[in-house]
DNA sequence: TTGGTGACTTATT
DNA sequence: TAATAAGCCACCA
């Protein structure tokens, strides 16, 4: 089985790192840009690989970060200029496309 | 090998 | 808008 390649992981990291402050992106976008077969893979990379990358700029398609990190990420994003409405981020406004 | 789990997405109700 | 179901891929015990 192909499993995932280091290159794919590195691509994901590069994409996340390329997201400017004040902008956010979704797992699906990263997965698509990195050529990953499923967005879940992106989540797996984040969970396993703890890097200095701004993971807080990566949110779900619903415009809402993960439940356990939501509070932290939302606060961090707010500090960067990403205003959340009712705990939800305006993807249409802050979504960063590659 | 099998089954359970997860920082997901989309579609349907 | 929220809740549920199914699909999806990789990791771990």
């Amino acid at each position: 089985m192909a499993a995932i390649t280091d290159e794919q992981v590195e691509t994901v990291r590069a994409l996340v790192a390329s997201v400017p402050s004040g902008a956010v992106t979704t797992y699906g976008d990263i997965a698509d840009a990195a050529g990953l077969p499923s967005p879940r893979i992106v989540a797996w990379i984040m969970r396993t690989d703890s890097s200095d990358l701004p993971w807080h700029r990566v949110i779900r398609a619903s415009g809402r970060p993960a439940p356990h990190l939501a509070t932290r990420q939302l606060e961090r994003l707010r500090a960067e200029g990403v205003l959340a409405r009712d705990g939800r981020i305006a993807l249409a406004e802050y979504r960063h496309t590659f």
Side-chain angles (χ1 to χ4, degrees), chain A residues 26-87:
Chain A
T26 66
Y27 292 91
D29 281 359
I30 294 178
D32 185 49
L36 294 172
S38 176
R40 287 189 91 112
I41 310 302
V42 179
W44 162 71
I45 296 173
M46 296 189 187
R47 202 196 59 171
T48 55
D49 188 341
S50 305
S51 306
D52 299 329
L53 295 171
W55 294 115
H56 45 90
R57 289 185 192 141
V58 183
I59 60 179
R60 306 196 296 179
S62 309
R64 216 172 162 191
H68 37 284
L69 303 176
T71 309
R72 205 162 110 180
Q73 295 199 182
L74 243 46
E75 208 168 320
R76 210 180 263 256
L77 289 169
R78 189 177 59 182
E80 293 187 351
V82 180
L83 304 179
R85 179 94 176 150
D86 250 0

